[in-house]
Amino acid sequence: MERALDRQRVLLRHLQPSPSSGSPSHTPQSACVSASACAAGDLAAYQRTASFGDDVVIVAAYRTAICKSRRGGFKDTLPEDLLAPVLRAVVEKTNLNPAEVGDIVVGTVLAPGSQRGIECRMAAFYAGFPETVPLRTVNRQCSSGLQAVADVAASIKAGFYDIGIGAGLESMTVDQVRAVPKVNPRVHSFAQARDCLLPMGITSENVAQRFGVTRQEQDQAAVESHRRAYAATQSGKFKDEIIPVSTKFVDPKTGEEKPVTISVDDGIRPNTNINDLAKLKPAFRKDGATTAGNASQVSDGAGAVLLMKRSVAVQKGLPILGVFRSFAAVGVDPAVMGIGPAVAIPAAVKSAGLTLDDIDLLEINEAFASQYVYCCKKLGLDPEKVNVNGGALALGHPLGATGARCVATLLNEMKRQGRDSRFGVISILITSCLGMLSRCKWGYHLYEFKIGEWSVFSISNCSRRLKPNKWRNS
């Protein structure tokens, strides 16, 4: 009972109007969240106003299935044909006129920027958007999809437009991770600059060695991820977030091409077990512990998140899934970039006036089991609250798309758990010292995305369809 009362006190503090916002409105919806700076610094604060209708809200979030690159269901699907279905879905399922979208921002990592920008614009046309709707890409490594959402939210808040789409896309079949072609010789004089060039697998080994994460702990994390992801798939938990994609598949043996519809993640291995994983050889160091079985898969996939001003969403009678609030930046040592969540999560939780004990659900991207295990242990997290439907070790990690995928997955899980799930956290790691965190709260879902270098904070409410005259509890 005392814990419940504490949570209500925290929520009431958040709902108090900002002292600088002038006279408060007399409508129940006008209470706003006061400005709150992340522990990373005041310069990163995303200022709030008392105008409740000016909140930036999330009204839809969908993704494709996540498939194994070069072997899975999307191996013969071009990047623009991955993105187009989710762009189409966020407008069709909300009955939104595509011409009303002010901008589309797509997070993507591996492809050359100008080339991927062209492909994404093509996807927008395939999805039915008119030529008047602009599009650009953004690359912030593994959190690019979340950065796209943040950019759209900031633009809406600034008044540049009222409706926008933050999306993510990666085809690791088409574009592979490559080494830096030419290295500046100055890196030999700067250790941290040199560490920015470390392969991510080596940073995983550094985390395991420096913080004592055993091979068995990493393999067990992989087993659990596959078990949970398989259980979620079998129970239909992902159906509400996955948009089926009609595409083609070429049989690698016969060369026969056939039409297929992909609607299920194909990287999950339900029979994964400790004995089989123990037989795998280290992938990055001869004496290491990171293997193909306890690292995230290279994958293909896409996701999209539709955001708009709250007053517009209410006028259209759309469901309010989340409210985007603020943005801040921090950083960690690139040699052990995987520890980002252990630093970012406490800072983000503290910035909301909460403690880790207040958090009911966490999504920590499983780039490598070593960093995932370390962060959970360092923060003393309850395993039953973290990645309840599995993570990247099972589902895969299409770099630019994972952020958007996490938004869809977390919102749907919090909706299912209802008022038993009040606060949640998402954290994504990024190469060269980046990671991202998101926090949600049911009723008023607290949302905070954080990438070792930056964070996004918001409060959102439960998913329910709102009529223009029904603001209560929204």
Side-chain angles (χ1 to χ4, degrees), residues 251-291:
D251 189 306
K253 295 181 179 179
T254 66
E256 178 186 1
E257 179 181 313
K258 61 180 180 180
V260 294
T261 298
I262 307 298
S263 60
V264 179
D265 305 309
D266 68 15
I268 303 169
R269 299 187 297 272
N271 297 321
T272 301
N273 60 78
I274 287 290
N275 290 336
D276 288 345
L277 291 182
K279 298 174 184 178
L280 298 177
K281 295 181 179 180
F284 300 97
R285 287 177 180 165
K286 290 183 178 181
D287 59 346
T290 300
T291 71

Side-chain angles (χ1 to χ4, degrees), residues 46-63:
Y46 191 81
Q47 299 300 320
R48 308 178 177 94
T49 71
S51 180
F52 205 50
D54 285 344
D55 284 344
V56 179
V57 303
I58 298 170
V59 299
Y62 296 103
R63 67 175 179 97

Side-chain angles (χ1 to χ4, degrees), residues 67-199:
C67 295
K68 296 175 286 189
S69 70
R70 298 188 293 277
R71 296 179 295 127
F74 291 139
K75 73 179 184 67
D76 302 303
T77 303
L78 293 173
E80 57 267 34
D81 291 329
L82 278 176
L83 180 61
V86 291
L87 292 180
R88 184 185 303 113
V90 293
V91 293
E92 286 188 350
K93 289 183 177 292
T94 55
N95 294 316
L96 180 70
N97 180 353
E100 294 185 75
V101 175
D103 199 4
I104 301 172
V105 182
V106 183
T108 185
V109 179
L110 298 178
S114 58
Q115 174 187 322
R116 183 49 49 84
I118 292 170
E119 293 167 346
C120 291
R121 188 84 199 281
M122 292 163 59
F125 288 134
Y126 295 150
F129 288 83
E131 63 184 24
T132 54
V133 177
L135 180 147
R136 69 175 173 87
T137 60
V138 62
N139 186 342
R140 201 162 198 173
Q141 305 289 6
C142 300
S143 73
S144 296
L146 285 177
Q147 180 68 61
V149 174
D151 285 0
V152 170
S155 293
I156 294 174
K157 195 69 176 178
F160 296 155
Y161 48 80
D162 289 342
I163 302 173
I165 295 174
L169 167 68
E170 208 70 55
S171 173
M172 299 182 79
T173 293
V174 174
D175 305 289
Q176 288 83 46
V177 177
R178 303 184 189 281
V180 177
K182 186 176 181 179
V183 178
N184 189 327
R186 293 185 65 194
V187 301
H188 300 297
S189 303
F190 293 85
Q192 286 191 308
R194 184 173 66 247
D195 289 344
C196 288
L197 300 175
L198 289 174

Side-chain angles (χ1 to χ4, degrees), residues 110-445:
L110 298 178
S114 58
Q115 174 187 322
R116 183 49 49 84
I118 292 170
E119 293 167 346
C120 291
R121 188 84 199 281
M122 292 163 59
F125 288 134
Y126 295 150
F129 288 83
E131 63 184 24
T132 54
V133 177
L135 180 147
R136 69 175 173 87
T137 60
V138 62
N139 186 342
R140 201 162 198 173
Q141 305 289 6
C142 300
S143 73
S144 296
L146 285 177
Q147 180 68 61
V149 174
D151 285 0
V152 170
S155 293
I156 294 174
K157 195 69 176 178
F160 296 155
Y161 48 80
D162 289 342
I163 302 173
I165 295 174
L169 167 68
E170 208 70 55
S171 173
M172 299 182 79
T173 293
V174 174
D175 305 289
Q176 288 83 46
V177 177
R178 303 184 189 281
V180 177
K182 186 176 181 179
V183 178
N184 189 327
R186 293 185 65 194
V187 301
H188 300 297
S189 303
F190 293 85
Q192 286 191 308
R194 184 173 66 247
D195 289 344
C196 288
L197 300 175
L198 289 174
M200 291 186 70
I202 296 299
T203 70
S204 170
E205 294 290 7
N206 288 346
V207 170
Q209 183 177 24
R210 187 177 300 184
F211 302 107
V213 181
T214 68
R215 167 71 180 270
Q216 185 173 3
E217 287 177 309
Q218 294 176 58
D219 287 350
Q220 184 58 52
V223 170
E224 185 64 12
S225 183
H226 283 279
R227 185 191 69 79
R228 293 183 177 189
Y230 180 70
T233 300
Q234 291 299 104
S235 64
K237 285 187 174 182
F238 294 141
K239 288 183 178 179
D240 289 340
E241 65 192 65
I242 293 180
I243 298 301
V245 177
S246 296
T247 184
K248 66 180 181 181
F249 186 87
V250 179
D251 189 306
K253 295 181 179 179
T254 66
E256 178 186 1
E257 179 181 313
K258 61 180 180 180
V260 294
T261 298
I262 307 298
S263 60
V264 179
D265 305 309
D266 68 15
I268 303 169
R269 299 187 297 272
N271 297 321
T272 301
N273 60 78
I274 287 290
N275 290 336
D276 288 345
L277 291 182
K279 298 174 184 178
L280 298 177
K281 295 181 179 180
F284 300 97
R285 287 177 180 165
K286 290 183 178 181
D287 59 346
T290 300
T291 71
N294 59 36
S296 59
Q297 306 172 48
V298 289
S299 310
D300 306 328
V305 180
L306 177 61
L307 303 95
M308 61 182 65
K309 188 180 294 186
R310 179 188 282 272
S311 57
V312 175
V314 171
Q315 183 182 29
K316 294 178 177 295
L318 294 174
I320 308 297
L321 303 180
V323 184
F324 191 101
R325 291 299 182 195
S326 67
F327 183 105
V330 297
V332 297
D333 181 355
V336 287
M337 65 91 200
I339 70 172
V343 179
I345 291 175
V349 170
K350 182 179 179 180
S351 73
L354 301 171
T355 69
L356 283 174
D357 290 337
D358 294 314
I359 306 302
D360 300 300
L361 279 178
L362 299 98
E363 285 274 338
I364 297 180
N365 188 45
E366 300 165 349
F368 296 93
S370 60
Q371 51 81 200
Y372 171 72
V373 170
Y374 166 75
C375 291
C376 290
K377 290 171 63 177
K378 176 67 175 179
L379 298 177
L381 302 178
D382 180 353
E384 298 304 313
K385 294 182 178 181
V386 187
N387 296 0
V388 296
N389 295 317
L393 292 172
L395 299 172
H397 178 26
L399 307 182
T402 294
R405 193 277 297 174
C406 285
V407 173
T409 300
L410 183 63
L411 281 174
N412 276 282
E413 180 59 30
M414 298 195 77
K415 177 182 175 181
R416 277 188 295 270
Q417 295 200 12
R419 297 187 183 279
D420 289 335
S421 178
R422 296 174 59 84
F423 294 93
V425 169
I426 298 173
S427 182
I428 297 179
L429 316 176
I430 300 166
T431 184
S432 297
C433 74
L434 302 176
M436 181 173 262
L437 175 124
S438 157
R439 185 168 56 235
C440 298
K441 175 182 180 282
W442 179 266
Y444 281 94
H445 299 330

